[in-house]
């Protein structure tokens, strides 16, 4: 597990959307082929304009303590000094998902 003072920006693809989240915990996880993230960090909006994708993320992960992301869906994990805004953006048609599973059993 990561030190609680560390802050990570995790970018991954899920259901045709690009997710960008800020978390304090990143690990290989107990499930083969998955990255586990947890201790989500959310903006405390102090201004009137609220990003709907940020609110959608907060709702989606409201009761989640940690989540497992398939390794091939992770685009990037950065250790950052400052928190940005968590968001979801629509993927363009130019991005293609990884074509297959990491492990396939031999067919005899």
């Amino acid at each position: 597990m990561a030190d609680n003072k560390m802050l990570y920006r995790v970018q991954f693809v899920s259901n045709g959307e690009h997710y960008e989240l800020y978390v304090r915990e990143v690990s290989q996880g107990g499930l083969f082929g998955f990255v586990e993230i947890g201790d989500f960090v959310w903006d405390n909006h102090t201004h009137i304009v609220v990003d709907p994708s940020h609110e959608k993320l907060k709702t989606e992960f409201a009761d989640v303590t940690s989540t497992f992301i398939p390794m091939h869906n992770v685009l990037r994990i950065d250790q950052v000094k400052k928190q940005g805004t968590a968001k979801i953006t629509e993927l363009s048609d130019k991005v293609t998902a990884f074509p297959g599973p990491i492990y396939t059993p031999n067919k005899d």
Side-chain angles (χ1 to χ4, degrees):
M1 289 283 188
D3 185 301
N4 283 343
K5 295 180 182 177
M6 301 289 184
L7 181 63
Y8 300 93
R9 177 178 55 219
V10 180
Q11 298 179 52
F12 61 95
V13 176
S14 179
N15 299 321
E17 296 177 311
H18 175 257
Y19 282 64
E20 185 173 315
L21 297 173
Y22 289 84
V23 297
R24 296 212 181 273
E25 296 177 1
V26 175
S27 68
Q28 185 173 350
L31 298 172
F32 177 74
F34 288 81
V35 174
E36 181 180 6
I37 62 172
D39 195 7
F40 298 90
V41 180
W42 305 110
D43 283 349
N44 293 324
H45 292 291
T46 56
H47 49 283
I48 295 175
V49 178
V50 177
D51 181 3
S53 71
H54 182 266
E55 294 305 313
K56 179 180 173 185
L57 279 171
K58 282 176 72 173
T59 302
E60 182 175 341
F61 292 98
D63 296 324
V64 177
T65 55
S66 65
T67 190
F68 294 84
I69 305 165
M71 197 177 302
H72 59 271
N73 285 23
V74 175
L75 300 174
R76 183 176 183 145
I77 300 173
D78 298 313
Q79 183 178 344
V80 295
K81 293 180 182 180
K82 229 166 73 162
Q83 178 186 341
T85 302
K87 59 188 169 192
I88 302 174
T89 53
E90 195 71 27
L91 288 175
S92 69
D93 293 333
K94 296 178 185 176
V95 178
T96 305
F98 195 73
I102 294 173
Y103 171 78
T104 49
N106 292 335
K107 295 179 183 179
D108 293 327

